Amino acid sequence: MSSTVDRNGRHAEISGAGFAGLTAAAALAQRGWTVRVHEKGKELREQGAGIVLWHNSLQVLKAIGAWDRAMSDSMTPPFYETRVQGRTVSQEDFGGLPWRTMTRPHLHKALLETALEAGVEIRTDSEVVSADPRGEVALASGETLKADLVVGADGVKSAVRDSIGFEQERWKSRDGITRFLVPRCKDELGPGDWDNVIDFWNLEPRYLRVLYVPCNERELYIALGAPRDDEQGSRTPIDLDLWTSVFPELAPVLKAAAVADDPKYYGYETTVVSEWSRGRAALVGDAAHAMCPALAQGAGTAMTNAYTLAVAATEAADAGIEDALTRWWHTERPITDRVQKRSADYAANRGMSKGNQFDEVNLETAQYDPTDTDRHATA
Ligand SMILES: Cc1cc2nc3c(=O)[nH]c(=O)nc-3n(C[C@H](O)[C@H](O)[C@H](O)COP(=O)(O)OP(=O)(O)OC[C@H]3O[C@@H](n4cnc5c(N)ncnc54)[C@H](O)[C@@H]3O)c2cc1C
Ligand SMILES: Cc1ncc(C(=O)O)c(CO)c1O
């Protein structure tokens, strides 16, 4: 798709330039909308480390023309391996289902370039303070902007969601994680299956976990998991002696993590919102459905729902947009709810440590194709 598409006279204002907001922006602009994205940050960048994407979001990258950019400098590891107390319990390859690992800044850049190429206007240092379901956003600057469609893609603390007053349930799980991007350190690690994703679980005498995710030849994402109430395990900067005593084979990469700038421990959060749209305002991504990361589908569902929102809003006549948005989320929501629930259960029972957990049920969302017009998300 290119920026030369005919404009359709309709305008969208989007709050948030994360994965959800940029995907919605690109898909809308490619369908003729004028689109403005407000990002409260002073710079357009994604903090955070690495990410696993599956077939569902990879299909979205193809559909919006971000595929080549995202595929460069990313990889498909040979296996997703699970180890418990140093012993390998499974090596999964998902039977050929496409999946990919990359850094978050890389994915963000691919989506940003795609949105800009489609003609999207992006304003940084522009905070949305409230939205009106009749089609309006108000900015911290005092300016008010009208739109045919308002998208709240402003993350777990969404101002669009909270100002409109959607009912919601939010809770925090007992565990959380500190994430790092470090050099691959292949030579220092020595011989081993270091191109695999390796989920290292230590359950006895205490829960400590390292999720090891190679993103390309140079960069490695590691996530160090510990309970919220484990002061030593959740401490930042990390307690290098503790982590290397439990995972000695990872010493070189743990050393790199110990000197990283500004590390932060994140507790897992879940948000369930009663509706995903009201009037001309719709919520996508973590604003609507923040989830635990166990099945690695937070960004995947964010991108999937952002894409299908753009398609549904474009297909509706302007007068019918409110009903179209309601139909959109009634169609797309059940599959997201299911993966959110499964991910929360896994966070609660640490069941991914059994290995071989990516069965047909748990891969439901990964296998979903949001670009297939015959899809049945509600099945
Ligand atoms: C530890 C961890 C690991 C994860 N691993 C994976 C994984 O492997 N695979 C996967 O698919 N998902 C993963 N996720 C989930 C994924 O990171 C999120 O679901 C995804 O980033 C959500 O994208 P988003 O665009 O909805 O929100 P965000 O990324 O939060 O983006 C929101 C944007 O809106 C901006 N903003 C906020 N408020 C305002 C405002 N008022 N006005 C203007 N701008 C505003 C913010 O600055 C930000 O840029 C993980 C999550 C965690 C916590
Ligand atoms: C890809 C992925 N999977 C599972 C988890 C997890 O914590 O369960 C995390 C990190 O938080 C991930 O980044």
Side-chain angles (χ1 to χ4, degrees):
M1 299 232 186
S2 76
S3 55
T4 55
V5 287
D6 290 337
R7 294 289 142 208
N8 64 12
R10 298 162 83 186
H11 178 69
E13 294 282 342
I14 300 182
S15 179
F19 300 139
L22 292 174
T23 302
L28 285 165
Q30 289 166 350
R31 285 167 179 73
W33 296 68
T34 55
V35 182
R36 190 182 291 127
V37 181
H38 301 274
E39 169 53 51
K40 79 171 176 190
K42 288 198 170 37
E43 284 169 55
L44 287 171
R45 67 190 168 112
E46 165 67 25
Q47 290 175 334
I51 194 146
V52 180
L53 296 184
W54 308 81
H55 181 61
N56 57 336
S57 45
L58 295 176
Q59 287 297 104
V60 172
L61 291 176
K62 266 190 203 155
I64 64 171
W67 174 259
D68 290 342
R69 288 186 180 104
M71 287 309 103
S72 71
D73 218 21
S74 65
M75 63 187 271
T76 301
F79 292 105
Y80 195 113
E81 178 174 344
T82 303
R83 292 190 198 176
V84 184
Q85 315 289 139
R87 194 174 60 86
T88 298
V89 293
S90 65
Q91 289 197 323
E92 297 174 83
D93 68 1
F94 318 119
L97 183 72
W99 65 296
R100 203 87 185 155
T101 61
M102 63 194 75
T103 71
R104 281 173 185 258
H106 182 69
L107 176 61
H108 190 265
K109 184 161 175 269
L111 292 173
L112 177 63
E113 287 176 0
T114 304
L116 291 173
E117 197 175 85
V120 171
E121 177 192 341
I122 305 185
R123 278 199 202 170
T124 51
D125 202 6
S126 180
E127 180 181 352
V128 171
V129 288
S130 66
D132 186 317
R134 286 169 296 193
E136 215 169 77
V137 292
L139 306 179
S141 64
E143 195 179 354
T144 300
L145 298 164
K146 290 203 177 308
D148 303 299
L149 172 67
V150 171
V151 180
D154 40 6
V156 269
K157 294 189 184 134
S158 173
V160 169
R161 179 194 64 209
D162 295 347
S163 65
I164 293 178
F166 287 90
E167 269 179 57
Q168 55 190 290
E169 266 180 73
R170 288 169 74 164
W171 69 90
K172 295 196 170 183
S173 303
R174 65 176 159 159
D175 295 336
I177 213 113
T178 312
R179 299 178 278 176
F180 301 93
L181 265 190
V182 296
R184 287 288 302 269
C185 303
K186 269 188 159 180
D187 291 342
E188 296 90 325
L189 286 166
D193 295 327
W194 298 117
D195 282 345
N196 286 348
V197 167
I198 312 176
D199 200 354
F200 292 85
W201 292 80
N202 185 80
L203 295 168
E204 299 298 335
R206 73 205 266 200
Y207 167 76
L208 290 172
R209 171 182 174 202
V210 178
L211 178 68
Y212 168 103
V213 182
C215 294
N216 53 47
E217 273 303 306
R218 308 175 317 284
E219 295 165 293
L220 171 72
Y221 159 44
I222 51 171
L224 275 55
R228 264 170 214 280
D229 63 8
D230 179 341
E231 190 282 321
Q232 190 190 21
S234 61
R235 187 185 296 166
T236 55
I238 63 164
D239 183 327
L240 185 59
D241 289 343
L242 168 71
W243 288 94
T244 45
S245 69
V246 179
F247 302 102
E249 64 278 52
L250 292 174
V253 296
L254 293 168
K255 260 187 217 148
V259 296
D261 285 340
D262 201 23
K264 281 197 186 69
Y265 174 88
Y266 293 90
Y268 298 151
E269 282 191 60
T270 303
T271 311
V272 179
V273 184
S274 57
E275 312 137 72
W276 288 1
S277 73
R278 195 169 302 166
R280 292 173 177 272
L283 302 176
V284 285
D286 280 6
H289 50 72
M291 67 180 74
C292 296
L295 293 171
Q297 275 294 350
T301 51
M303 290 162 63
T304 301
N305 293 327
Y307 176 79
T308 55
L309 167 67
V311 173
T314 307
E315 281 172 359
D318 184 60
I321 193 161
E322 302 196 7
D323 290 342
L325 296 182
T326 306
R327 279 197 304 277
W328 157 72
W329 69 259
H330 279 93
T331 306
E332 303 299 334
R333 180 174 182 148
I335 191 167
T336 302
D337 281 351
R338 289 193 290 271
V339 77
Q340 186 188 43
K341 166 89 173 54
R342 287 174 196 139
S343 299
D345 290 348
Y346 273 118
N349 60 32
R350 300 172 180 158
M352 294 299 289
S353 63
K354 293 193 197 97
N356 279 322
Q357 294 301 292
F358 288 99
D359 58 11
E360 279 296 308
V361 170
N362 284 330
L363 285 175
E364 182 198 23
T365 318
Q367 285 174 340
Y368 182 53
D369 183 354
T371 65
D372 174 2
T373 45
D374 295 327
R375 70 189 186 281
H376 298 286
T378 49

